């Protein structure tokens, strides 16, 4: 409409103008059926020189769950969120950790647990001011022991699930359970912000129990159970070596009636193995019960990798940083090829982590690697987003995810 100059003028009069960086990257995804919010967001985009795409909450979730670039900001009217508001927040914050993406709630009073911006007034000025608001700096405060215990006790730990697909046919076959800490003041924290502190505090067993129990309960969900989707859970070495921890794992599995063949226990190498006979006994027990067991983050820096390969593991996961360095290093390529050969000679399935481009996917396929995990396949997802991601992934199998 051409009768809107006063609105555009009021946006800028006496206030900060949209800066160049905002204008260059402004590409809004709008979830709202409200005419007032639609006009406000489109007016803001017109002033800032950006664009707007309207969609449903389900479509927005598919955008965020996909492996591909999304819009610079997602603006969601909770009244039109179809019950997916929390999942949209979780996915937006997940992607914000590695990409320049923001989320704004439209017409929603401030809610500290979400740690997202809010636009209360349906006007271009209010939308632009919210878009221009600088994100608060990431707090790098290390939590003390008391805070860590509270986090484990008070349901601050949440699970995310990163998809794993078979390279030969692109079939989605598994999920890795990953922990997030939903802190009331610091927001959603990725594992590097709290897992090392938890392990250093001697609380690794409590975190492992919590994530595993939640993962097994989620895997009993009918949609996943009917498809036989497997789940991988991370076990630090000092937890895996304890009989009591394996007892708890088995009780959790049995309580949820999950087939052990759907569970892979991944050994995370937080410290070198110094008792191989004890580790072998733990692996033999898990194998005897029907679980799969994996070497996680395999690479040249893993102590005693050759000795680990001779233990009864069922799979090996190549470290994502190693995969990223392959293109520029003959030494890394030779190491990966040799490790894949050694693992396959022992009957192991080989999984590549950090598959973030089609070029990496093609490289893994050429090496005969069995499975892929990484942002190009799918990002860590809340449980409710897994079926939506699967639908989008399957829809691209005929033409290829790229």
């Amino acid at each position: 409409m051409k009768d809107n100059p006063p609105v555009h003028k009021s946006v800028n009069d006496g206030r900060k103008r949209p800066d160049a960086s905002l204008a260059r990257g402004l590409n809004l995804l709008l979830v709202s059926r409200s005419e007032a919010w639609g006009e406000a967001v489109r007016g803001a985009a017109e002033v800032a020189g950006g664009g707007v795409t309207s969609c449903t909450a389900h479509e927005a979730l598919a955008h965020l769950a996909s492996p591909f670039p999304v819009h610079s900001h997602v603006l969601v009217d909770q009244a039109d969120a179809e019950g997916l508001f929390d999942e949209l927040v979780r996915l937006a914050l997940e992607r914000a950790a590695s990409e320049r993406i923001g989320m704004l709630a439209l017409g929603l009073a401030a809610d500290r647990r979400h740690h997202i911006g809010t636009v209360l007034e349906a006007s271009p000025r209010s939308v632009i001011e919210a878009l221009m608001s600088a994100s608060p700096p990431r707090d790098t405060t290390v939590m003390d022991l008391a805070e860590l215990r509270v986090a484990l006790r008070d349901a601050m730990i949440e699970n995310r699930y990163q998809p794993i697909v078979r390279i030969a046919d692109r079939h989605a076959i598994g999920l890795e359970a990953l922990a997030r800490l939903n802190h009331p003041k610091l927001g959603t924290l990725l594992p590097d912000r709290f897992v090392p502190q938890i392990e250093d505090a001697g609380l690794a067993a409590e975190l492992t129990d919590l994530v595993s129990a939640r993962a097994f309960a989620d895997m009993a969900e009918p949609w996943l159970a009917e498809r036989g989707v497997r789940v991988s859970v991370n076990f630090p070495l000092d937890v895996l070596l304890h009989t009591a921890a394996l007892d708890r794992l088995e009780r959790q599995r049995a309580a949820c009636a999950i087939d052990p063949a759907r569970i892979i226990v991944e050994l995370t190498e937080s410290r070198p193995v110094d008792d191989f006979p004890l580790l072998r006994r733990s692996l033999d027990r898990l194998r005897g019960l029907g679980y799969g067991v994996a070497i996680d983050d395999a690479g040249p820096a893993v102590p005693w990798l050759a000795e680990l390969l001779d233990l009864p593991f069922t799979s090996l996961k190549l470290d994502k940083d190693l995969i990223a360095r392959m293109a520029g290093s003959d030494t890394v390529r030779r190491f990966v090829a040799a490790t894949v050969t050694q693992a396959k000679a022992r009957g192991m399935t080989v999984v590549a982590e950090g598959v973030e481009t089609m070029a990496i996917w093609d490289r893994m396929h050429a090496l005969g690697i069995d499975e892929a995990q990484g942002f190009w396949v799918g990002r860590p997802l809340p449980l409710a987003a897994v079926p939506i991601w699967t639908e989008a992934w399957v829809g691209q199998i005929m033409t290829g995810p790229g």
Side-chain angles (χ1 to χ4, degrees):
M1 297 174 61
K2 294 185 178 181
D3 55 349
N4 284 334
V7 173
H8 292 182
K9 185 173 186 296
S10 69
V11 171
N12 291 325
D13 279 0
R15 300 183 183 273
K16 294 184 290 184
R17 295 177 181 273
D19 60 26
S21 62
L22 176 63
R24 281 196 302 269
L26 193 63
N27 185 10
L28 309 180
L29 190 65
L30 173 64
V31 178
S32 177
R33 292 190 292 268
S34 163
E35 183 176 344
W37 280 118
E39 290 180 355
V41 172
R42 287 189 292 272
E46 183 179 348
V47 171
V52 180
T53 301
S54 296
C55 66
T56 66
H58 186 280
E59 291 167 339
L61 197 65
H63 276 291
L64 290 169
S66 78
F68 310 116
V70 294
H71 297 71
S72 63
H73 298 78
V74 182
L75 288 74
V76 181
D77 183 348
Q78 191 172 23
D80 294 323
E82 304 169 23
L84 296 174
F85 186 78
D86 285 346
E87 282 70 25
L88 288 167
V89 170
R90 292 187 181 103
L91 272 173
L93 293 177
E94 190 80 34
R95 296 195 73 153
S98 58
E99 304 172 45
R100 293 183 61 83
I101 180 173
M103 179 167 173
L104 294 173
L106 304 178
L108 178 68
D111 184 343
R112 289 183 61 84
R113 76 185 175 92
H114 287 131
H115 297 276
I116 60 171
T118 301
V119 190
L120 293 177
E121 179 186 351
S123 70
R125 180 182 64 191
S126 295
V127 173
I128 280 190
E129 288 179 346
L131 291 169
M132 291 179 63
S133 296
S135 300
R138 289 188 67 189
D139 193 307
T140 57
T141 302
V142 176
M143 290 178 286
D144 61 26
L145 180 58
E147 289 178 304
L148 293 172
R149 290 191 182 280
V150 170
L152 292 171
R153 185 184 67 236
D154 290 355
M156 292 186 196
I157 302 296
E158 298 180 349
N159 280 16
R160 298 289 187 272
Y161 297 101
Q162 187 166 28
I164 303 171
V165 301
R166 191 163 50 222
I167 292 178
D169 59 7
R170 294 179 174 165
H171 184 64
I173 55 176
L175 303 165
E176 180 178 358
L178 301 168
R180 300 291 184 266
L181 196 157
N182 194 22
H183 194 280
K185 294 181 179 179
L186 305 180
T188 301
L189 305 183
L190 299 182
D192 62 342
R193 295 284 309 284
F194 66 92
V195 170
Q197 295 96 304
I198 283 178
E199 291 183 348
D200 291 345
L203 300 174
E206 286 87 339
L207 177 62
T208 302
D209 287 350
L210 189 58
V211 172
S212 298
R214 190 160 295 154
F216 297 162
D218 288 343
M219 289 306 106
E221 194 273 334
W223 192 92
L224 294 171
E226 290 168 4
R227 288 160 179 78
V229 174
R230 74 181 195 223
V231 65
S232 300
V233 291
N234 293 310
F235 266 60
L237 178 63
D238 56 351
V239 178
L240 185 59
L241 294 179
H242 279 87
T243 301
L246 302 187
D247 291 340
R248 292 193 300 272
L249 176 74
E250 179 63 4
R251 287 196 297 270
Q252 291 171 346
R253 180 204 65 78
C256 296
I258 303 297
D259 185 342
R262 291 180 61 201
I263 301 168
I264 296 178
V265 175
E266 297 189 3
L267 169 63
T268 58
E269 281 294 282
S270 54
R271 64 181 177 86
V273 177
D274 54 17
D275 191 336
F276 279 91
L278 180 57
L279 177 56
R280 180 181 288 274
R281 287 196 291 273
S282 292
L283 297 177
D284 284 339
R285 182 180 178 194
L286 289 169
R287 291 290 305 273
L289 291 169
Y291 293 83
V293 284
I295 303 171
D296 194 17
D297 296 329
V302 173
W304 311 112
L305 180 58
E307 287 78 3
L308 288 172
L309 286 169
D310 284 332
L311 293 177
F313 287 99
T314 57
S315 58
L316 175 141
K317 298 185 77 172
L318 294 166
D319 181 69
K320 62 183 180 181
D321 293 332
L322 184 74
I323 297 301
R325 298 201 308 272
M326 282 184 63
S329 171
D330 289 338
T331 300
V332 172
R333 286 194 292 271
R334 286 193 296 269
F335 173 85
V336 171
T339 302
V340 170
T341 298
Q342 293 166 21
K344 285 183 167 291
R346 292 162 173 79
M348 295 184 191
T349 298
V350 181
V351 185
E353 296 187 281
V355 176
E356 299 191 355
T357 66
M358 181 183 291
I360 295 176
W361 172 282
D362 291 341
R363 198 174 297 127
M364 299 304 100
H365 187 275
L367 281 169
I369 290 173
D370 302 291
E371 298 170 5
Q373 176 180 352
F375 284 1
W376 192 71
V377 174
R379 287 164 170 76
L381 308 169
L383 181 67
V386 172
I388 295 172
W389 168 85
T390 304
E391 178 184 343
W393 177 262
V394 170
Q396 296 175 52
I397 286 180
M398 297 303 296
T399 58

